[in-house]
Amino acid sequence: MELLSELLGDYGSRPLSEPPAWPSDVSDDHTPVEFSIAYNESEPPALRILAEALGSTPGVRANALATYEFLRRQSQRFGLSTSRLDAVRDLFDAENPQGDFVLWISLVFRSGRAPEFKVYFNPELSGAEQAPDVVRRALDRLGLGPAYEKMLSQAIRPAELGRRDRLTFFALDLHDGPQARVKLYISHHDARAEDVARASSVVDGVDPELVAGFCEQAGRTPLFTGRPLVGSFTITQGADRPNGYSVYVPIRSYVTDDQEALERVLPLLDRYRFDPAVLDKAIAAVTSRTLDSDAGLIAHVSLRLGPPRPGMTVYLSSEAYRGVSLNV
Ligand code: TRP
């Protein structure tokens, strides 16, 4: 609660009857916060919060500066390591950044441990066509160039880089442990389950059939023409190839309502032996609306394969601005 209210700053007390101060793309209704429940094979579920800090006059660049300021304040308290962030920060800066954001942050609350922090950069801040170069330079600086070449050669549909396969997020863990990761996200527009399955096959030990099956069960569509399927590659510091893969299905685009979304998510949780009661509790905590009245509460569902923590994540929109966002 404390971290969240610090992150929201003065905006935390802004009445929800007023329109959002900034049309954040963190969630559909522009609430700058999204919750997720990360189920893990090896430990209890974690609560995560994806958020966008807002500058006093909100704007893409001002918001990024507010995030840096927030991190600076947390740095000592939580012993954050920003050396990798500092090494690439200038690559993700521009006077007039394009797109909806430059820098988002996530807070990870694992059972019985201090919060962890992760940042997300927008590689398309100088345009989609520049993104591959921005990412290459960032990974080179972190000594991870070889892993990138390996990934790009297979993960992208031919001729689609910067078009329908877009490099949309570049994420860093803010710690120095042996598990510190870079994650590179690719949004596959108008893709089929088999396209992401092929992308996932870059990673040793990942079963592409499992990835395809997950997309099919969550999306129930041959072609994902709504919101894009997203895949992410995990590169652990020092590795010469990606060693983890996650797929994110924007399930809200492919259901009539959240009841239908839940009815697809429950068998998936069951299949991976995760406790549905945790999700029920989380849903009850964020909303009192009936699930069949709308879609959008269950925003994404993802499958994580490979180290450090295989599992499934369910993303819940706070829907704080539900119903008022049309006024923006
Ligand atoms: N709201 C954006 C989207 O749906 C960004 C986002 C938030 C996102 N949480 C996510 C993207 C989880 C992929 C996975 O694209």
Side-chain angles (χ1 to χ4, degrees):
M1 292 286 284
E2 216 178 289
L3 278 173
L4 189 55
S5 71
E6 214 179 303
L7 189 61
L8 293 173
D10 292 343
Y11 296 100
S13 50
R14 186 183 170 93
L16 289 173
S17 54
E18 287 176 26
W22 170 253
S24 179
D25 194 40
V26 161
S27 65
D28 293 356
D29 69 357
H30 304 313
T31 312
V33 166
E34 180 189 66
F35 300 105
S36 56
I37 308 296
Y39 288 96
N40 305 293
E41 275 174 18
S42 53
E43 59 182 52
L47 167 66
R48 304 192 313 195
I49 300 177
L50 171 68
E52 177 166 24
L54 306 185
S56 48
T57 304
V60 172
R61 194 152 187 263
N63 297 352
L65 294 175
T67 303
Y68 283 121
E69 180 51 27
F70 171 78
L71 285 174
R72 197 188 55 74
R73 289 196 304 270
Q74 309 315 322
S75 200
Q76 269 215 310
R77 179 171 175 201
F78 294 105
L80 306 186
S81 161
T82 57
S83 52
R84 295 178 319 134
L85 174 65
D86 297 338
V88 301
R89 174 177 169 165
D90 63 295
L91 297 174
F92 295 95
D93 191 16
E95 221 161 290
N96 293 303
Q98 298 179 32
D100 300 311
F101 79 107
V102 164
L103 182 64
W104 286 345
I105 185 169
S106 81
L107 310 173
V108 186
F109 302 93
R110 300 188 195 286
S111 176
R113 273 194 262 156
E116 291 168 24
F117 296 71
K118 188 169 149 188
V119 291
Y120 300 82
F121 286 112
N122 181 0
E124 296 190 329
L125 83 168
S126 303
E129 65 290 350
Q130 298 295 328
D133 201 43
V134 170
V135 170
R136 176 174 290 111
R137 290 169 68 191
L139 287 173
D140 273 344
R141 284 197 194 168
L142 299 172
L144 300 172
Y148 182 56
E149 302 305 331
K150 167 91 192 142
M151 194 166 51
L152 271 197
S153 62
Q154 282 179 43
I156 307 282
R157 289 170 287 177
E160 292 292 8
L161 184 58
R163 295 153 58 98
R164 292 190 305 169
D165 286 343
R166 292 171 47 186
L167 301 175
T168 38
F169 304 95
F170 181 92
L172 287 175
D173 287 335
L174 296 187
H175 64 78
D176 255 348
Q179 302 281 20
R181 301 161 305 166
V182 171
K183 275 175 100 175
L184 181 61
Y185 294 72
I186 303 181
S187 298
H188 302 276
H189 292 263
D190 300 324
R192 296 172 187 279
E194 68 212 49
D195 296 317
V196 286
R198 179 167 155 269
S200 74
S201 68
V202 172
V203 181
D204 283 346
V206 164
D207 177 1
E209 302 271 308
L210 217 58
V211 173
F214 185 85
C215 295
E216 278 154 12
Q217 278 197 52
R220 305 257 171 97
T221 181
L223 189 64
F224 288 75
T225 52
R227 289 177 176 277
L229 286 172
V230 177
S232 78
F233 293 90
T234 301
I235 313 171
T236 304
Q237 196 56 50
D240 66 351
R241 53 197 304 151
N243 59 347
Y245 183 82
S246 303
V247 63
Y248 309 78
V249 180
I251 190 167
R252 67 199 186 283
S253 264
Y254 302 96
V255 291
T256 314
D257 56 50
D258 283 297
Q259 185 59 40
E260 190 180 6
L262 184 63
E263 281 164 15
R264 291 189 200 169
V265 171
L266 290 177
L268 287 167
L269 286 178
D270 187 58
R271 164 161 191 198
Y272 292 96
R273 296 196 177 70
F274 292 127
D275 180 8
V278 176
L279 179 60
D280 284 340
K281 248 173 92 175
I283 290 175
V286 291
T287 193
S288 51
R289 78 163 166 89
T290 53
L291 293 184
D292 61 5
S293 60
D294 203 354
L297 176 75
I298 304 181
H300 290 89
V301 49
S302 85
L303 181 66
R304 265 175 287 123
L305 299 166
R309 283 181 207 86
M312 241 182 93
T313 304
V314 185
Y315 295 76
L316 296 180
S317 172
S318 79
E319 296 192 337
Y321 282 118
R322 187 171 174 263
V324 297
S325 60
L326 296 177
N327 303 332
V328 179

